[in-house]
Amino acid sequence: MQISHYLGAGESYYNRTQSVKHDQPVKESSTSSREAPFSTRLEGKTNLTYQISPANVKVADQDQLAILNQDMRPLSYRQADLADYYKQNGEQQDVVGMIKVDGQVMAYLRGDGSYAGRSGVQDLFRQAGGDVEKLKSLVEQHYPGSGEVEFFEQGEGPTNAEVFEMFNGSSYQAYSQEQIAIQKETEFNEMLAQDQAYRRKLMFDQTPQTAVFRVGGQVVGSMDDQGFADVGQALTTMADQRGVDREQLKSLFTLDFDRSPEDFKAMLNDVFGDDVQLETFSSQQAPSRAEIRSMSA
């Protein structure tokens, strides 16, 4: 086994690996979305937000957000900036070590201690635990006569683009151009999806609410003329203030288009007693869902 060990290269390394994304099989629904309207498919389902309490919500601190933003940076580039990212990344010399088998790069080690490679080969970095001599021995043991370990001074090894091409056997430039094209198409599709979502939200927010429910004079929810009851944090907050167990709210958060405003008021009475008020409107005079939500905020 040939060993190329350049002086100055780190005699130890860390076994921090890259996260690996596993593709999960997507199960097709047995019921086509064309078989029933969306509202019908939601009927009987429970909105589990009634179970969320302030104790369940954790706000990340600035250090955690900084780490997350750094890790997600390549995923957040827009198409206009992606070309610069791939150019800069390709020119960097992050790799300080490589394992070759029959002259082919099978795994590589970066200066920050992370490593990647073919299944079974990259694990040799982990098994060696930072011991260069042990790594040499492991490579000799697994690939006698054909294995080669090569180390570089930090910043003096091959560029990331060169390592990519040695490892994948394909052009880094072609790969980066393909990724830029994919990002361009993705951005276009995202723009269409955002426009559609915005239009749906406008329609949802502007839906007239023909019934408004109050507890102790405070708005806790509303209902449109299709029987959709809109309840949320205002209702759970009221329950917490009055010492009501959240599980008593489950039926109120379960979608049932057959319920009338009077039915829903009766359910609120079961939870909050007689301190429940119902106000009804005609469709022409009813406030919008957005207006009701602003009243209960």
Side-chain angles (χ1 to χ4, degrees):
M1 178 181 70
Q2 179 183 356
I3 302 293
S4 300
H5 186 190
Y6 292 81
L7 293 177
E11 288 294 328
S12 64
Y13 51 82
Y14 303 97
N15 63 347
R16 191 187 74 193
T17 60
Q18 288 183 310
S19 61
V20 179
K21 180 179 180 181
H22 299 283
D23 292 329
Q24 298 293 334
V26 178
K27 295 183 179 179
E28 294 187 2
S29 173
S30 59
T31 303
S32 170
S33 60
R34 293 187 295 271
E35 293 180 5
F38 184 64
S39 59
T40 302
R41 287 182 283 123
L42 284 179
E43 182 117 23
K45 301 296 190 298
T46 301
N47 183 347
L48 297 180
T49 55
Y50 78 93
Q51 296 179 336
I52 300 176
S53 66
N56 301 132
V57 180
K58 182 181 185 300
V59 180
D61 59 34
Q62 292 301 314
D63 291 339
Q64 291 172 322
L65 287 175
I67 293 173
L68 178 62
N69 289 334
Q70 182 177 3
D71 290 343
M72 299 297 290
R73 185 181 62 176
L75 301 179
S76 63
Y77 279 119
R78 310 307 293 174
Q79 178 257 332
D81 303 319
L82 204 55
D84 290 338
Y85 166 76
Y86 278 114
K87 182 177 184 298
Q88 179 183 1
N89 181 71
E91 293 173 349
Q92 291 176 187
Q93 295 167 286
D94 296 327
V95 173
V96 296
M98 297 188 298
I99 297 175
K100 296 181 180 179
V101 178
D102 292 326
Q104 170 69 40
V105 175
M106 301 296 286
Y108 52 89
L109 172 71
R110 301 182 186 86
D112 65 359
S114 61
Y115 51 81
R118 309 295 181 200
S119 176
V121 183
Q122 68 165 358
D123 194 51
L124 298 181
F125 285 122
R126 181 191 62 79
Q127 293 178 34
D131 187 326
V132 172
E133 293 304 319
K134 185 175 181 180
L135 177 63
K136 297 175 184 178
S137 176
L138 286 168
V139 173
E140 173 65 32
Q141 175 185 339
H142 286 79
Y143 307 100
S146 62
E148 177 183 352
V149 179
E150 189 171 3
F151 287 98
F152 308 96
E153 178 75 31
Q154 177 74 51
E156 295 186 5
T159 65
N160 292 344
E162 290 170 337
V163 173
F164 176 93
E165 294 177 350
M166 287 187 286
F167 182 74
N168 293 285
S170 57
S171 166
Y172 178 81
Q173 182 178 4
Y175 168 78
S176 60
Q177 289 175 344
E178 178 185 6
Q179 296 305 305
I180 292 169
I182 291 173
Q183 180 64 23
K184 183 177 182 179
E185 181 179 2
T186 299
E187 288 181 18
F188 177 74
N189 291 333
E190 286 178 350
M191 183 177 65
L192 291 180
Q194 289 172 0
D195 181 68
Q196 293 172 354
Y198 179 69
R199 291 174 183 271
R200 287 195 297 268
K201 184 178 185 303
L202 280 179
M203 293 179 62
F204 184 77
D205 288 345
Q206 293 172 1
T207 302
Q209 301 298 285
T210 53
V212 177
F213 305 96
R214 290 180 171 85
V215 175
Q218 297 185 33
V219 174
V220 295
S222 61
M223 181 181 288
D224 60 27
D225 59 4
Q226 299 299 311
F228 180 85
D230 186 39
V231 291
Q233 188 175 4
L235 184 56
T236 57
T237 299
M238 179 64 69
D240 291 343
Q241 291 174 350
R242 299 198 172 200
V244 174
D245 189 285
R246 289 287 187 94
E247 280 303 308
Q248 291 185 253
L249 304 179
K250 182 176 181 179
S251 60
L252 295 167
F253 280 80
T254 300
L255 197 60
D256 182 355
F257 292 105
D258 292 330
R259 288 189 303 220
S260 67
E262 290 73 22
D263 293 334
F264 199 80
K265 178 180 181 295
M267 295 170 63
L268 286 169
N269 286 136
D270 290 340
V271 176
F272 296 101
D274 295 332
D275 198 13
V276 178
Q277 299 85 43
L278 166 63
E279 185 177 6
T280 58
F281 304 87
S282 66
S283 297
Q284 294 74 23
Q285 296 179 332
S288 68
R289 179 178 282 111
E291 290 173 325
I292 297 300
R293 286 186 170 185
S294 66
M295 294 168 59
S296 60

